[in-house]
Structures are given as structure tokens and as C-alpha cells.
Amino acid sequence: MEREFKWNIKQPEDFDVLADSDFVKPLVTEETRLEMEAAYYDTADGLVSKVHGGLRLRRENKETVVCLKLAARSEFDGACKAREEYEVCAEDIRAGIRQLPSVGAPQDFCDQLMQANLIEQGRTMFTRFASQLAYKGCTCELSFDYGRMTHLTRIGTICEMELEYKGGSAFDFDELAITLQNKFALEPQPLSKLARMMQL
């Protein structure tokens, strides 16, 4: 299961101020920069959305990953989502779908996807600046995503911050997220990149 919080960032400089703050900086254990691109797919009959799932082909630097997400529940007014997530390395979306059951994805859902007419709904292209954090009894990743999303002929922007749970105490993770939100007056972003892309 995945736990995460997302917040809107008005200006890239706002993230720099937060990342260099006396509160966040001592928590950082590692920093990375990633170039990311994701193509999102749906079917003509809305198969993916009917089962509250998401299917995408993601490129993270040189690696290509097929990712299937199945939403489980929402908390904190949608700011934190728990879900099952399955990923396999594959250059082709259908080759990836064939591999998904081996990592625990629902076989019946994957069978339906293999028979479906997959249609690309849009893409996201962004740079991610990620910092690994250690806070009390939990580890997590604080990242800043900056780029754009495209749906049909429309283009939108991505400028957000995300805190993703990695391990340890879920209680401490939630405490950190709420502390960050209150301390820096962050605006929650309840929608995923896919949902915002579809709204375009």
C-alpha cells in the first residue's frame, strides 16, 4: 500500500525555501534528480476507470516501467491515498501487462486489459527533485515535480510537492505531513496528475 500527500506549489522558489529550512534540511539523507515522462492509457469502454485503477507506461531516466495502480481508500480529504501499486520493467505496454500478474496484480483485470483497445489519454513530462527523509520512526521521500501535462490539444503545468511514505511508523509519517502542511501553509492537492490531465 502507498501513502502520500500532495501540495500545490505556486513558485519553484517556494520549494527551495522549504527544502533549505532549518526544519527540513536536518532530515535529508539523500538527494536525487530524475527526468520523468508517463503515457496514460484508458480503454474505449472506460475499463480502467470503472475499477478505479490507472495504467501507465513511465520512463524514469533510462528505465521504462509499466505501472498499474488500484485505489483502495482515501483519507485526509483526499490528500493522502492508500493503494496497491504494481510495476514491471517493459518497453511495450502489452508486454508489461503480461508480466503484471507475476508481481501480484489481479489476473482477471490484466486479462481484460489484454483484450481491450488501449487508448492513450495523455502524457506528463516533468523533472523531479527528490530528497529522502528520516523523521523519528519513519522514512519517506519529499519531492518537487515541475513540468507539463498534455491531453489531446491542451497543455497544463505541473508544479507540486509530494511526500511519500517509504517505511517505518505510519503515525510518524502522518505527523510529519501535517506538520509540514501547517508550518509552511501548504495547499493540499487532492487530485493525481492523471485526474488533472483528464480535467484539461
Side-chain angles (χ1 to χ4, degrees):
M1 289 294 187
E2 181 179 285
R3 299 173 68 86
E4 64 183 17
F5 286 78
K6 292 179 184 288
W7 299 279
N8 290 320
I9 299 293
K10 292 181 173 61
Q11 300 291 336
E13 294 79 11
D14 295 341
F15 178 79
D16 294 335
V17 170
L18 188 148
D20 290 333
S21 71
D22 292 338
F23 178 75
V24 173
K25 203 164 187 178
L27 306 178
V28 177
T29 59
E30 183 183 346
E31 294 180 307
T32 55
R33 180 179 184 271
L34 300 171
E35 296 296 333
M36 302 181 71
E37 178 181 355
Y40 295 82
Y41 292 85
D42 201 351
T43 61
D45 59 358
L47 175 65
V48 174
S49 60
K50 283 179 183 175
V51 295
H52 309 292
L55 181 67
R56 61 178 174 161
L57 184 69
R58 188 186 76 223
R59 291 184 178 85
E60 188 173 302
N61 289 359
K62 301 288 185 180
E63 187 176 66
T64 303
V65 177
V66 172
C67 180
L68 171 64
K69 296 183 178 181
L70 300 178
R73 57 192 169 89
S74 297
E75 297 177 297
F76 303 105
D77 297 325
C80 177
K81 297 180 185 299
R83 62 179 180 242
E84 293 180 273
E85 182 172 344
Y86 309 98
E87 293 188 347
V88 291
C89 293
E91 289 297 326
D92 176 77
I93 191 73
R94 293 195 177 276
I97 294 172
R98 283 193 291 270
Q99 295 179 54
L100 285 171
S102 68
V103 294
Q107 180 68 59
D108 58 342
F109 182 39
C110 294
D111 289 343
Q112 292 178 70
L113 286 174
M114 285 302 297
Q115 299 172 21
N117 178 28
L118 295 176
I119 301 170
E120 183 180 317
Q121 295 295 303
R123 290 177 177 259
T124 56
M125 289 145 282
F126 58 95
T127 300
R128 168 168 290 184
F129 300 93
S131 299
Q132 306 300 315
L133 306 183
Y135 176 77
K136 293 186 177 180
C138 77
T139 56
C140 51
E141 181 179 276
L142 181 68
S143 60
F144 170 65
D145 295 344
Y146 181 71
R148 68 185 189 276
M149 57 184 74
T150 60
H151 178 57
L152 301 178
T153 59
R154 300 189 181 186
I155 298 176
T157 59
I158 297 171
C159 193
E160 69 181 26
M161 190 172 73
E162 179 179 307
L163 185 69
E164 182 178 346
Y165 172 79
K166 294 298 183 181
S169 169
F171 177 83
D172 288 342
F173 171 76
D174 290 345
E175 179 186 277
L176 173 60
I178 294 170
T179 299
L180 285 172
Q181 183 168 302
N182 294 337
K183 187 177 182 67
F184 297 98
L186 300 173
E187 177 190 350
Q189 170 56 268
L191 298 178
S192 67
K193 291 181 179 67
L194 173 61
R196 280 177 282 154
M197 183 185 65
M198 296 297 285
Q199 282 187 340
L200 289 175

